Amino acid sequence: MANETARNIGPVIVLGPPGAGKGTQAKRIVDRYGIPQISTGDLLRDNVGRGTKLGLEAKAIMARGELVPDELIYGIVSSRLREADCQRGFVLDGFPRTAAQARWLDATLEKEIFDKSQSDKSEKCPPIVIQLLVDYNQLLLRLTGRRSCPTCGRLYNIHFQPPLVDELCDVDGSKLLTRSDDREDVISERLAAYESQTKPVADYYRAQRRLVVVNADRTMDEIAAQIFGVIDRHGQDAGGGAAKLESAS
Ligand code: AMP
Protein backbone atom coordinates (compact mmCIF):
# COMPACT_ATOMS: atom_id res chain seq x y z
CA MET A 1 0.00 0.00 0.00
CA ALA A 2 2.87 2.40 0.78
CA ASN A 3 4.07 1.75 -2.74
CA GLU A 4 0.63 2.68 -4.11
CA THR A 5 0.91 6.19 -2.73
CA ALA A 6 4.44 6.74 -4.03
CA ARG A 7 4.57 5.42 -7.57
CA ASN A 8 3.41 7.23 -10.71
CA ILE A 9 -0.13 6.27 -11.60
CA GLY A 10 -0.73 8.72 -14.47
CA PRO A 11 -4.16 9.89 -15.61
CA VAL A 12 -7.12 7.66 -14.74
CA ILE A 13 -10.32 8.46 -16.65
CA VAL A 14 -13.60 7.11 -15.29
CA LEU A 15 -16.39 7.02 -17.88
CA GLY A 16 -20.02 6.15 -17.36
CA PRO A 17 -23.51 7.64 -17.34
CA PRO A 18 -24.72 9.89 -14.51
CA GLY A 19 -25.43 7.62 -11.54
CA ALA A 20 -22.98 4.90 -12.56
CA GLY A 21 -20.92 5.59 -9.45
CA LYS A 22 -18.09 7.55 -11.10
CA GLY A 23 -17.75 9.90 -8.13
CA THR A 24 -17.78 7.08 -5.58
CA GLN A 25 -15.20 5.02 -7.44
CA ALA A 26 -13.04 8.07 -8.08
CA LYS A 27 -12.93 8.65 -4.30
CA ARG A 28 -11.87 5.04 -3.73
CA ILE A 29 -9.02 5.50 -6.20
CA VAL A 30 -8.00 8.74 -4.47
CA ASP A 31 -7.87 7.00 -1.07
CA ARG A 32 -5.85 4.05 -2.31
CA TYR A 33 -3.34 5.77 -4.59
CA GLY A 34 -3.09 9.23 -3.02
CA ILE A 35 -3.80 11.10 -6.26
CA PRO A 36 -6.41 13.89 -6.55
CA GLN A 37 -9.88 13.58 -8.03
CA ILE A 38 -10.76 16.12 -10.66
CA SER A 39 -14.50 16.26 -11.17
CA THR A 40 -15.64 18.83 -13.72
CA GLY A 41 -19.14 18.70 -12.19
CA ASP A 42 -17.70 19.54 -8.73
CA LEU A 43 -15.47 22.29 -10.14
CA LEU A 44 -18.47 23.80 -11.93
CA ARG A 45 -20.72 23.53 -8.85
CA ASP A 46 -17.99 25.20 -6.79
CA ASN A 47 -17.91 28.08 -9.29
CA VAL A 48 -21.72 28.33 -9.24
CA GLY A 49 -21.66 28.37 -5.43
CA ARG A 50 -19.04 31.12 -5.32
CA GLY A 51 -20.87 33.12 -7.99
CA THR A 52 -17.81 33.44 -10.26
CA LYS A 53 -18.17 34.63 -13.88
CA LEU A 54 -17.80 31.01 -15.03
CA GLY A 55 -20.36 29.88 -12.46
CA LEU A 56 -22.88 32.46 -13.64
CA GLU A 57 -22.44 31.32 -17.24
CA ALA A 58 -22.70 27.62 -16.35
CA LYS A 59 -25.55 27.73 -13.83
CA ALA A 60 -28.58 27.79 -16.16
CA ILE A 61 -26.98 25.28 -18.55
CA MET A 62 -26.33 22.84 -15.72
CA ALA A 63 -29.84 23.28 -14.32
CA ARG A 64 -31.21 22.17 -17.71
CA GLY A 65 -28.91 19.12 -17.67
CA GLU A 66 -27.09 20.23 -20.82
CA LEU A 67 -23.35 20.25 -21.40
CA VAL A 68 -21.41 23.40 -20.56
CA PRO A 69 -19.49 24.76 -23.62
CA ASP A 70 -16.02 23.31 -24.17
CA GLU A 71 -14.17 26.62 -23.92
CA LEU A 72 -15.39 27.05 -20.32
CA ILE A 73 -14.51 23.46 -19.38
CA TYR A 74 -11.03 23.49 -20.98
CA GLY A 75 -10.00 26.49 -18.92
CA ILE A 76 -10.88 24.93 -15.57
CA VAL A 77 -9.45 21.51 -16.46
CA SER A 78 -6.12 22.73 -17.78
CA SER A 79 -5.47 25.01 -14.83
CA ARG A 80 -6.36 22.21 -12.39
CA LEU A 81 -4.05 19.70 -14.16
CA ARG A 82 -1.12 22.08 -13.74
CA GLU A 83 -1.38 22.08 -9.95
CA ALA A 84 1.45 20.33 -8.12
CA ASP A 85 -0.69 17.55 -6.62
CA CYS A 86 -1.37 16.15 -10.13
CA GLN A 87 2.25 15.19 -10.84
CA ARG A 88 1.95 11.48 -9.89
CA GLY A 89 -1.42 11.22 -11.55
CA PHE A 90 -5.07 12.19 -11.14
CA VAL A 91 -8.54 10.75 -11.54
CA LEU A 92 -10.82 12.49 -14.01
CA ASP A 93 -14.51 12.12 -13.27
CA GLY A 94 -17.05 13.67 -15.64
CA PHE A 95 -14.40 14.58 -18.20
CA PRO A 96 -13.97 13.98 -21.12
CA ARG A 97 -17.66 13.84 -22.00
CA THR A 98 -17.42 14.24 -25.78
CA ALA A 99 -15.00 12.93 -28.41
CA ALA A 100 -13.78 16.51 -28.94
CA GLN A 101 -12.95 16.78 -25.22
CA ALA A 102 -11.09 13.44 -25.40
CA ARG A 103 -8.97 14.68 -28.31
CA TRP A 104 -8.30 17.95 -26.48
CA LEU A 105 -7.24 16.01 -23.38
CA ASP A 106 -4.81 13.83 -25.33
CA ALA A 107 -3.23 16.87 -26.94
CA THR A 108 -3.03 18.70 -23.61
CA LEU A 109 -1.47 15.76 -21.77
CA GLU A 110 1.03 15.18 -24.53
CA LYS A 111 2.11 18.74 -25.25
CA GLU A 112 1.61 20.67 -22.06
CA ILE A 113 1.45 18.56 -18.97
CA PHE A 114 3.94 15.78 -19.66
CA ASP A 115 6.43 17.82 -21.66
CA LYS A 116 6.67 20.34 -18.85
CA SER A 117 6.66 17.99 -15.89
CA GLN A 118 8.74 15.05 -17.11
CA SER A 119 11.91 15.26 -19.11
CA ASP A 120 12.07 11.52 -19.81
CA LYS A 121 8.89 10.86 -21.78
CA SER A 122 9.46 7.10 -21.70
CA GLU A 123 8.58 7.15 -18.01
CA LYS A 124 5.15 8.64 -18.44
CA CYS A 125 2.15 6.44 -17.79
CA PRO A 126 -0.48 6.40 -20.54
CA PRO A 127 -4.03 7.19 -19.38
CA ILE A 128 -6.11 4.33 -17.99
CA VAL A 129 -9.70 4.59 -19.23
CA ILE A 130 -12.33 2.73 -17.22
CA GLN A 131 -15.92 2.56 -18.44
CA LEU A 132 -18.61 1.71 -15.88
CA LEU A 133 -21.57 -0.13 -17.42
CA VAL A 134 -24.91 -0.04 -15.55
CA ASP A 135 -28.48 -1.16 -16.25
CA TYR A 136 -30.80 1.79 -17.13
CA ASN A 137 -33.38 1.10 -14.37
CA GLN A 138 -30.61 0.89 -11.78
CA LEU A 139 -29.38 4.27 -12.95
CA LEU A 140 -32.78 5.87 -12.40
CA LEU A 141 -32.95 4.53 -8.83
CA ARG A 142 -29.41 5.64 -8.09
CA LEU A 143 -30.05 9.17 -9.37
CA THR A 144 -33.51 9.80 -7.93
CA GLY A 145 -32.36 8.36 -4.56
CA ARG A 146 -29.11 10.30 -4.32
CA ARG A 147 -28.73 12.60 -1.27
CA SER A 148 -25.75 14.33 0.30
CA CYS A 149 -25.03 16.02 3.60
CA PRO A 150 -24.26 19.75 3.14
CA THR A 151 -22.18 19.73 6.36
CA CYS A 152 -19.93 16.65 6.19
CA GLY A 153 -20.34 15.66 2.52
CA ARG A 154 -21.47 12.10 3.31
CA LEU A 155 -23.37 10.47 0.45
CA TYR A 156 -26.60 8.46 0.83
CA ASN A 157 -29.15 6.79 -1.39
CA ILE A 158 -32.70 6.57 -0.05
CA HIS A 159 -33.22 3.28 -1.95
CA PHE A 160 -29.91 1.50 -1.31
CA GLN A 161 -28.13 3.28 1.55
CA PRO A 162 -30.75 5.28 3.47
CA PRO A 163 -29.94 7.40 6.52
CA LEU A 164 -31.16 6.08 9.89
CA VAL A 165 -33.65 8.96 10.16
CA ASP A 166 -35.49 9.98 7.01
CA GLU A 167 -33.66 12.77 5.10
CA LEU A 168 -31.24 13.54 8.00
CA CYS A 169 -27.47 12.89 8.09
CA ASP A 170 -26.44 10.04 10.45
CA VAL A 171 -23.26 11.90 11.40
CA ASP A 172 -24.44 15.42 12.19
CA GLY A 173 -28.24 15.47 11.73
CA SER A 174 -28.15 18.01 8.89
CA LYS A 175 -31.05 17.96 6.44
CA LEU A 176 -29.88 16.02 3.37
CA LEU A 177 -29.78 17.71 -0.05
CA THR A 178 -30.91 16.51 -3.47
CA ARG A 179 -28.89 17.95 -6.34
CA SER A 180 -31.10 20.23 -8.47
CA ASP A 181 -30.18 18.22 -11.59
CA ASP A 182 -31.23 14.92 -9.94
CA ARG A 183 -34.91 15.80 -10.47
CA GLU A 184 -36.64 13.26 -12.68
CA ASP A 185 -37.30 15.62 -15.62
CA VAL A 186 -33.65 16.74 -15.69
CA ILE A 187 -32.36 13.19 -15.28
CA SER A 188 -33.81 12.05 -18.59
CA GLU A 189 -32.13 15.03 -20.29
CA ARG A 190 -28.80 14.15 -18.68
CA LEU A 191 -29.07 10.50 -19.71
CA ALA A 192 -29.97 11.54 -23.27
CA ALA A 193 -26.94 13.86 -23.35
CA TYR A 194 -24.80 10.96 -22.16
CA GLU A 195 -26.14 8.62 -24.83
CA SER A 196 -25.59 11.01 -27.69
CA GLN A 197 -22.37 12.69 -26.66
CA THR A 198 -20.42 10.50 -24.29
CA LYS A 199 -20.69 7.15 -26.06
CA PRO A 200 -18.36 8.43 -28.80
CA VAL A 201 -15.77 8.98 -26.04
CA ALA A 202 -15.80 5.26 -25.26
CA ASP A 203 -15.57 4.54 -29.00
CA TYR A 204 -12.59 6.88 -29.24
CA TYR A 205 -10.67 5.11 -26.48
CA ARG A 206 -11.76 1.67 -27.67
CA ALA A 207 -10.30 2.43 -31.10
CA GLN A 208 -7.02 3.22 -29.35
CA ARG A 209 -7.16 -0.03 -27.34
CA ARG A 210 -7.22 1.94 -24.11
CA LEU A 211 -10.74 1.14 -22.88
CA VAL A 212 -11.34 -1.16 -19.92
CA VAL A 213 -15.02 -2.06 -19.44
CA VAL A 214 -16.17 -2.79 -15.88
CA ASN A 215 -19.61 -4.20 -15.02
CA ALA A 216 -20.91 -1.71 -12.44
CA ASP A 217 -24.15 -3.55 -11.54
CA ARG A 218 -22.43 -4.80 -8.40
CA THR A 219 -21.51 -3.56 -4.95
CA MET A 220 -19.22 -0.55 -4.70
CA ASP A 221 -16.57 -2.74 -3.02
CA GLU A 222 -16.61 -5.30 -5.83
CA ILE A 223 -16.37 -2.60 -8.48
CA ALA A 224 -13.52 -0.89 -6.61
CA ALA A 225 -11.58 -4.15 -6.28
CA GLN A 226 -11.83 -4.70 -9.99
CA ILE A 227 -10.69 -1.14 -10.78
CA PHE A 228 -7.69 -1.47 -8.43
CA GLY A 229 -6.70 -4.65 -10.27
CA VAL A 230 -6.80 -2.79 -13.58
CA ILE A 231 -4.70 0.12 -12.25
CA ASP A 232 -2.16 -2.19 -10.59
CA ARG A 233 -1.72 -4.29 -13.72
CA HIS A 234 -1.46 -1.17 -15.83
CA GLY A 235 1.36 0.09 -13.57
CA GLN A 236 3.27 -3.15 -14.09
CA ASP A 237 2.66 -3.14 -17.84
CA ALA A 238 3.17 0.58 -18.47
CA GLY A 239 6.92 1.15 -18.63
CA GLY A 240 6.36 3.60 -21.49
CA GLY A 241 4.46 1.09 -23.61
CA ALA A 242 0.92 1.35 -24.93
CA ALA A 243 -2.00 0.38 -22.75
CA LYS A 244 -3.75 -2.86 -23.58
CA LEU A 245 -7.44 -3.39 -24.16
CA GLU A 246 -8.98 -5.35 -21.34
CA SER A 247 -12.52 -6.29 -20.59
CA ALA A 248 -13.25 -6.96 -16.97
CA SER A 249 -16.16 -9.33 -16.39
P1 AMP B 1 -21.78 15.76 -13.15
O1 AMP B 1 -21.63 16.12 -11.71
O2 AMP B 1 -20.53 15.15 -13.72
O3 AMP B 1 -23.00 14.91 -13.43
O4 AMP B 1 -21.99 17.14 -13.95
C1 AMP B 1 -23.06 17.99 -13.66
C2 AMP B 1 -23.28 18.95 -14.83
O5 AMP B 1 -22.09 19.75 -15.03
C3 AMP B 1 -23.54 18.27 -16.16
O6 AMP B 1 -24.89 17.91 -16.35
C4 AMP B 1 -23.09 19.38 -17.14
O7 AMP B 1 -24.06 20.41 -17.21
C5 AMP B 1 -21.87 19.96 -16.43
N1 AMP B 1 -20.61 19.25 -16.81
C6 AMP B 1 -19.82 18.48 -16.02
N2 AMP B 1 -18.75 18.00 -16.69
C7 AMP B 1 -18.88 18.50 -17.96
C8 AMP B 1 -18.10 18.34 -19.15
N3 AMP B 1 -16.98 17.58 -19.18
N4 AMP B 1 -18.52 18.99 -20.27
C9 AMP B 1 -19.64 19.75 -20.26
N5 AMP B 1 -20.43 19.92 -19.17
C10 AMP B 1 -20.06 19.30 -18.03
Side-chain angles (χ1 to χ4, degrees):
M1 187 69 179
N3 181 38
E4 304 303 356
T5 55
R7 70 180 173 91
N8 275 356
I9 304 297
V12 180
I13 298 168
V14 184
L15 301 177
K22 296 188 297 289
T24 304
Q25 293 304 331
K27 283 192 181 64
R28 301 283 185 102
I29 298 169
V30 165
D31 291 345
R32 182 173 162 98
Y33 298 98
I35 55 177
Q37 173 186 6
I38 301 174
S39 156
T40 42
D42 285 349
L43 290 172
L44 289 167
R45 279 185 287 278
D46 175 61
N47 275 273
V48 171
R50 287 187 292 120
T52 64
K53 184 169 173 286
L54 166 68
L56 293 176
E57 286 179 286
K59 188 174 179 178
I61 301 169
M62 292 172 72
R64 290 195 299 271
E66 294 167 7
L67 292 183
V68 171
D70 284 348
E71 60 273 19
L72 299 182
I73 298 285
Y74 294 161
I76 51 171
V77 173
S78 60
S79 53
R80 182 65 188 88
L81 294 186
R82 283 187 187 82
E83 288 178 31
D85 62 342
C86 292
Q87 287 223 334
R88 283 181 43 249
F90 45 85
V91 189
L92 281 171
D93 143 30
F95 185 91
R97 255 180 160 89
T98 63
Q101 290 183 359
R103 285 192 295 273
W104 175 87
L105 179 66
D106 270 347
T108 302
L109 291 176
E110 194 62 35
K111 293 197 189 85
E112 299 185 35
I113 310 295
F114 284 130
D115 276 3
K116 286 192 178 128
S117 65
Q118 296 183 5
S119 51
D120 181 0
K121 289 186 89 182
S122 68
E123 282 185 12
K124 83 180 181 195
C125 302
I128 304 169
V129 187
I130 293 167
Q131 183 186 28
L132 302 178
L133 280 189
V134 194
D135 173 76
Y136 188 84
N137 292 324
Q138 277 285 319
L139 280 183
L140 288 182
L141 288 174
R142 288 189 193 185
L143 289 166
T144 54
R146 194 150 73 168
R147 302 287 184 276
S148 67
C149 173
T151 310
C152 69
R154 186 162 171 179
L155 299 174
Y156 296 86
N157 186 295
I158 57 167
H159 307 298
F160 307 119
Q161 250 184 325
L164 296 170
V165 180
D166 209 20
E167 300 291 343
L168 297 182
C169 179
D170 294 348
V171 179
D172 49 46
S174 302
K175 173 119 181 63
L176 299 180
L177 295 181
T178 305
R179 271 170 47 174
S180 59
D181 57 358
D182 278 345
R183 292 197 331 266
E184 265 184 84
D185 53 332
V186 181
I187 286 171
S188 53
E189 176 64 43
R190 291 170 65 206
L191 290 176
Y194 172 76
E195 281 297 318
S196 66
Q197 294 181 294
T198 310
K199 274 205 166 159
V201 177
D203 294 341
Y204 173 83
Y205 288 121
R206 188 178 296 109
Q208 299 186 359
R209 299 180 54 77
R210 281 200 262 159
L211 191 73
V212 182
V213 178
V214 167
N215 172 7
D217 281 324
R218 296 192 267 184
T219 67
M220 292 300 163
D221 285 346
E222 287 169 335
I223 301 166
Q226 199 163 5
I227 291 175
F228 296 161
V230 170
I231 295 175
D232 293 345
R233 282 199 300 281
H234 183 87
Q236 288 157 14
D237 294 345
K244 288 190 297 201
L245 176 75
E246 295 178 53
S247 183
S249 56

